[in-house]
Amino acid sequence: MMQTRATLLAHARDTLGALRREGRYREFAHLEKLAGRFPVYRWHAPAGLREVTVWSSNDYLGMGSHPAVLAAATRAIAEHGAGAGGTRNISGTSPLIVALEAELASLHGKSGALLFGSGYMANQAALSAVLEALPGFWVFSDAKNHASMIAGMRGAKAAKRVIWTHNDLADLEAKLAAAPPEAPKLIAFESVYSMDGDIAPIAAICDLAERYGAMTYLDEVHAVGLYGETGGGISERDAVAHRVDLIEGTLAKGFGVLGGYVAGEAELVDFIRSVAGGLIFTTALPPAVAGAALESVRVLKRDPARRAALAERAAALKAALDAAGLPRIPGPSHIVPVMVGEAELCRQVARRLLEEHALYATPINYPTVPRGTERLRLCATPFHTDAMIAELVEALKAVLPKRSVPLAAE
């Protein structure tokens, strides 16, 4: 055992050393979110406390600080206590969770929904459950799918995974046509891709699914709450939610709380509930989280103005970056990546933004993005002002390398 431990520790030291040399070592900024002052946070810097503006939060609409959401969390703790007490099988299901699942099913126009502890868990558990259900399943995965989707597909050992070129309908069709006609098939893809900010052609993918007898599984985590008349995501915006078999979403981004879910036909959702280990063996979400998420979904369903404000702020940020000649990666969504192009340089740029300008922007390095495409990932929420945007642009002009990076047209 001592030899094994020593070997493992040596491997850990070597790996960490390599990550540091490549500029890919992950360091977590000690940031304290300030309720009521979003997107201003308190940075616990080595030299002491300092207020900073955060540009990389996934709390896209600031719902994590919404007064009604905070009140719902407080009320749930007062009425139900701090913890769930166990899994839903052991301790029963809270009425807050039952109501939340009904609200999420309604959000997507589905007859059923199932809540998980996180979006990662929802993808991992639901995809594995579905792909293990029938022998000989073929799953067609977009090349830029999230790690949680990949984990779910790999968890189904017998399923054959085929990767198709990102958003390339011709490549997807060619791969569907090459599969055995009698094989069960599933197309797995996202609506908004979080590192590039581009959007999938959902309707066209559904056309191919219908042509080749495939099911569809759509990850809407970066779109729920943000798009559509009631916040149902890109599939609601494009009026195609009814054509998608399973929609996966999160409560931790647009809704500002925590948790993940899948929505679909009630019987299929019930099947996942009955066999998915990620649900059966995981403690349920605590009452405060379930209550806050339920309130957030309800508030956003009737608040299109907040979604409109997000779109307007995203357009303002893009316009300001373009006017300054900064290397923005073009895209139609609220996610605004700024290209840097080298891991250590990307880390240094993010560090200088924080230390010299009190601005926090996440550096995105390999393996999250391909080597040579390292970037900063920005998002202007409804609470980022014109003055904040101007401050960010001036800071980026000061810290980004003075070289051009060729980018595609919008």
Side-chain angles (χ1 to χ4, degrees):
M1 185 170 66
M2 295 294 292
Q3 182 179 359
T4 300
R5 183 182 299 114
T7 302
L8 176 59
L9 288 173
H11 173 74
R13 283 192 294 270
D14 291 344
T15 300
L16 292 171
L19 290 173
R20 289 187 176 96
R21 287 190 300 274
E22 295 170 16
R24 297 195 295 116
Y25 179 72
R26 295 180 186 270
E27 297 180 272
F28 296 154
H30 191 168
L31 296 173
E32 179 184 352
K33 193 174 184 182
L34 303 174
R37 298 193 61 200
F38 182 81
V40 175
Y41 285 52
R42 185 178 291 123
W43 176 35
H44 290 244
L49 299 179
R50 185 179 179 188
E51 289 190 353
V52 301
T53 302
V54 169
W55 281 96
S56 296
S57 175
N58 282 346
D59 188 359
Y60 294 131
L61 296 171
M63 294 301 292
S65 298
H66 193 289
V69 174
L70 299 182
T74 303
R75 186 167 59 250
I77 286 179
E79 294 177 359
H80 306 291
T87 69
R88 295 168 73 175
N89 293 307
I90 290 174
S91 298
T93 291
S94 163
L96 292 171
I97 289 179
V98 173
L100 178 54
E101 288 177 335
E103 203 72 58
L104 292 168
S106 168
L107 178 68
H108 296 292
K110 302 298 184 184
S111 55
L114 181 64
L115 188 64
F116 290 85
S118 69
Y120 191 106
M121 183 66 73
N123 270 334
Q124 186 179 44
L127 278 166
S128 291
V130 169
L131 295 173
E132 289 176 339
L134 299 175
F137 232 123
W138 284 52
V139 55
F140 299 83
S141 175
D142 186 285
K144 292 192 176 181
N145 276 341
H146 191 266
S148 58
M149 300 177 76
I150 296 168
M153 295 176 224
R154 286 177 174 168
K157 302 297 184 184
K160 180 175 177 59
R161 184 164 63 104
V162 178
I163 300 172
W164 50 285
T165 304
H166 175 58
N167 275 353
D168 187 330
L169 296 173
D171 188 52
L172 173 59
E173 180 163 22
K175 287 179 166 60
L176 285 166
E182 71 280 3
K185 304 175 187 68
L186 176 73
I187 303 172
F189 61 108
E190 302 181 34
S191 58
V192 176
Y193 287 85
S194 63
M195 291 301 117
D196 292 340
D198 56 347
I199 294 176
I202 301 175
I205 292 171
C206 288
D207 290 342
L208 289 176
E210 292 165 7
R211 190 175 309 158
Y212 290 93
M215 291 179 60
T216 45
Y217 183 102
L218 175 63
D219 178 314
E220 286 259 42
V221 297
H222 291 278
V224 288
L226 314 182
Y227 298 89
E229 183 178 350
T230 64
I234 299 296
S235 57
E236 183 189 30
R237 185 199 72 177
D238 294 353
V240 292
H242 64 287
R243 302 180 64 191
V244 179
D245 293 295
L246 281 169
I247 295 175
E248 185 266 349
T250 183
L251 299 163
K253 295 179 172 62
F255 296 115
V257 191
L258 180 69
Y261 64 90
V262 291
E265 188 176 343
E267 198 166 20
L268 179 56
V269 170
D270 193 28
F271 166 76
I272 296 170
R273 182 191 67 84
S274 299
V275 303
L279 174 80
I280 295 169
F281 301 108
T282 301
T283 297
L285 288 176
V289 172
L294 175 61
E295 183 65 20
S296 184
V297 173
R298 286 174 171 170
V299 167
L300 279 180
K301 275 187 173 181
R302 56 180 186 267
D303 189 7
R306 193 171 289 238
R307 285 185 281 281
L310 176 74
E312 186 278 327
R313 290 288 81 193
L317 174 59
K318 293 173 184 178
L321 293 170
D322 292 346
L326 293 168
R328 174 176 72 87
I329 300 175
S333 77
H334 60 286
I335 294 168
V336 185
V338 171
M339 183 66 78
V340 179
E342 195 273 321
E344 177 59 24
L345 180 60
C346 191
R347 189 185 68 82
Q348 291 176 10
V349 166
R351 178 185 56 78
R352 289 188 61 195
L353 281 175
L354 184 58
E355 294 178 356
E356 299 173 18
H357 301 276
L359 303 173
Y360 179 75
T362 306
I364 306 295
N365 292 333
Y366 176 85
T368 307
V369 295
R371 295 180 193 273
T373 68
E374 289 82 0
R375 65 200 65 178
L376 301 176
R377 181 182 178 279
L378 308 176
C379 177
T381 73
F383 302 94
H384 284 88
T385 65
D386 287 339
M388 288 176 176
I389 291 175
E391 179 186 31
L392 173 66
V393 168
E394 290 305 309
L396 287 171
K397 287 163 63 175
V399 301
L400 282 172
K402 301 297 188 290
R403 57 186 174 87
S404 61
V405 179
L407 299 173
E410 189 85 71

